[in-house]
Amino acid sequence: MRALCWHGKNDVRVDTVPDPKILNPRDAIVKITATAICGSDLHIYNGFIPTMERGDILGHEFMGEIVELGSEVKNLKIGDRVVVPFTIACGHCSYCEDTLFSLCDNSNPNASMQEAVYGAPVAGLYGYSHLFGGYAGGQAQYARVPYADIGPIKIESDLSNEQVLFLSDILPTAWMGVENAHVKPGGTLAIWGCGPVSQLAIKCAFLQGVGRVIALDHIPERLELARQSGAEVIDYTKVDNVTATLKEMTGGRGPDGCMDGVGLEAHGTSADAVMDKTKQVMRLASDRIHVLREMVMACRKGGSLSVVGVYGGLIDAFPMGAVFAKGLNITGGQTHVQRYLNPLLERIQKGELDPSFIITHRLPLEQAPEGYATFKEKRDKCIKVVLTP
């Protein structure tokens, strides 16, 4: 089959690789009909995610048709149309039973590697390094789906691929990200970054009863799309001080909740942002945390920080004193996708959500390397790229 493979920093290629096979009775093989490039894929593309190996198949947002099933998968049949969650979960460990699917005890074959880095193993992920299990990803013609009796959700309506594809990751991620900000009905949520997850989070926030959303970015088309969804927007390059601006907009209090939709490659124009980037480039730090610092300083006392963006390692010069003094809550983590699949599918079916509005570029799989470069550089007003094998 054809698949997009990692060959090094800024080097991805569509290669011919062996077809996936059933390895476990709970496996399925999916013929992929739609897949997408995620913002977190760019962290791999840019060389910031360790334990990648040449030839690894990328991609964790995908859907398709069941073409082969293991003997223990009883809830699916050949020909079913499914969306596959990016978090791989066994469904039976104590964490899965508590619907903490991204913390699954059993789905990562490289658990000892993670325990050394994070203190405990968490779930395997598709196409996201050997630290997260070394699973082949979904930017390909076919994919093996472990624990297929737990993960995939059947799409039995006539909804288009583009309407349901993002159930695989970024729509549940957006929903959980807003939940983790703990904003009461009528309150104010500030979102750093206006990429695909944040665009969906704006929609999710209003559905969850948030009164105001303030979105920060510097790319005009992203700010305009956020504005169209009802957010107030800040171009952070055009204000002297983001914290002061947010406090001025909220009567001197600060937002009730703050969401980081950026992650370890945060941009900024302040001195600390420049320092972060310099240290990361020189390999003196693994992550750039300018956004996290701004969130801590801007959030109201007793508020909550929701960390949706991916962080990979250690952070430097974090204002823990302010977190303690202001009584802030911080919640992060990979999304428990399986928890949200059915409720969010129902909202799509009812017309309350249509995630396809974020798609700007549609390419065949063979043009995936071009898609990565366009997405990284934000060329041609690119917000989200969908690939068709």
Side-chain angles (χ1 to χ4, degrees):
M1 69 171 183
R2 300 288 281 169
L4 186 75
C5 299
W6 184 85
H7 287 270
K9 181 178 178 180
N10 295 325
D11 184 2
V12 295
R13 309 171 197 171
V14 180
D15 297 333
T16 299
V17 301
D19 292 348
K21 297 179 180 179
I22 296 287
L23 300 179
N24 183 286
R26 295 177 66 189
D27 286 352
I29 304 297
V30 172
K31 180 181 180 181
I32 296 169
T33 55
T35 183
I37 302 173
C38 183
S40 58
D41 288 329
L42 293 183
H43 299 321
I44 295 176
Y45 186 68
N46 291 334
F48 293 115
I49 302 298
T51 71
M52 291 294 297
E53 298 180 6
R54 293 186 184 277
D56 284 347
I57 299 173
L58 298 175
H60 57 268
E61 294 181 318
F62 63 96
M63 64 176 295
E65 176 186 336
I66 300 290
V67 294
E68 191 174 350
L69 286 171
S71 59
E72 293 183 16
V73 182
K74 306 298 184 184
N75 61 324
L76 299 173
K77 63 181 185 300
I78 303 298
D80 279 347
R81 182 180 177 221
V82 297
V83 178
V84 180
F86 82 97
T87 47
I88 303 169
C90 75
H92 300 301
C93 69
S94 63
Y95 294 98
C96 288
E97 289 179 351
D98 285 341
T99 73
L100 302 172
F101 295 102
S102 72
L103 305 180
C104 177
D105 261 340
N106 297 320
S107 64
N108 189 344
N110 296 329
S112 60
M113 184 188 302
Q114 274 197 335
E115 193 162 9
V117 176
Y118 299 137
V122 296
L125 308 177
Y126 293 101
Y128 217 79
S129 83
H130 292 265
L131 186 63
F132 287 92
Y135 288 98
Q139 290 167 2
Q141 292 179 312
Y142 295 87
R144 180 177 77 94
V145 177
Y147 304 110
D149 54 334
I150 297 298
I153 182 171
K154 286 192 285 188
I155 307 298
E156 300 178 288
S157 64
D158 60 357
L159 292 168
S160 70
N161 284 352
E162 292 185 353
Q163 287 176 288
V164 297
L165 171 61
F166 302 137
L167 287 168
S168 60
D169 175 5
I170 59 173
L171 181 56
T173 295
W175 191 273
M176 191 174 101
V178 173
E179 279 188 345
N180 287 344
H182 303 295
V183 176
K184 294 180 180 179
T188 299
L189 172 67
I191 300 177
W192 273 253
C194 291
V197 170
S198 297
Q199 297 290 345
L200 295 177
I202 295 167
K203 300 281 191 182
C204 294
F206 290 126
L207 287 172
Q208 291 184 38
V210 172
R212 296 175 69 193
V213 177
I214 303 172
L216 299 91
D217 207 302
H218 72 289
I219 299 174
E221 54 269 20
R222 289 186 169 194
L223 291 169
E224 178 56 31
L225 191 58
R227 186 182 290 110
Q228 290 173 14
S229 293
E232 302 164 57
V233 301
I234 297 173
D235 181 339
Y236 66 80
T237 65
K238 296 182 179 179
V239 299
D240 293 331
N241 186 295
V242 166
T243 297
T245 301
L246 284 167
K247 289 188 174 180
E248 182 180 351
M249 295 174 71
T250 54
R253 280 168 59 92
D256 300 297
C258 297
M259 188 183 112
D260 172 1
V262 181
L264 63 86
E265 293 183 75
H267 293 274
T269 57
S270 61
D272 72 303
V274 175
M275 174 190 70
D276 285 347
K277 186 172 182 179
T278 301
K279 286 185 175 181
Q280 191 181 57
V281 168
M282 296 178 68
R283 303 299 183 187
L284 298 176
S286 59
D287 300 20
R288 307 202 296 253
I289 67 158
H290 164 69
V291 162
L292 289 179
R293 294 192 198 97
E294 277 193 344
M295 286 169 52
V296 169
M297 302 310 292
C299 192
R300 71 159 172 86
K301 293 179 290 186
S304 295
L305 311 183
S306 174
V307 182
V308 175
V310 172
Y311 287 87
L314 303 176
I315 59 177
D316 188 23
F318 182 69
M320 192 63 204
V323 173
F324 178 79
K326 296 172 72 175
L328 301 180
N329 301 294
I330 303 176
T331 307
Q334 299 287 359
T335 308
H336 310 303
V337 177
Q338 291 86 339
R339 178 196 297 175
Y340 299 98
L341 289 175
N342 285 308
L344 289 175
L345 178 57
E346 288 179 13
R347 289 185 180 271
I348 295 171
Q349 290 170 332
K350 291 177 182 177
E352 297 176 1
L353 274 171
D354 184 352
S356 64
F357 77 95
I358 62 173
I359 301 171
T360 55
H361 290 65
R362 298 164 176 86
L363 298 171
L365 179 65
E366 294 293 332
Q367 293 180 24
E370 175 187 334
Y372 266 78
T374 299
F375 189 30
K376 173 183 175 176
E377 301 298 333
K378 309 298 183 287
R379 296 198 299 257
D380 191 29
K381 298 182 178 181
C382 181
I383 292 176
K384 186 68 173 179
V385 180
V386 170
L387 305 170
T388 304

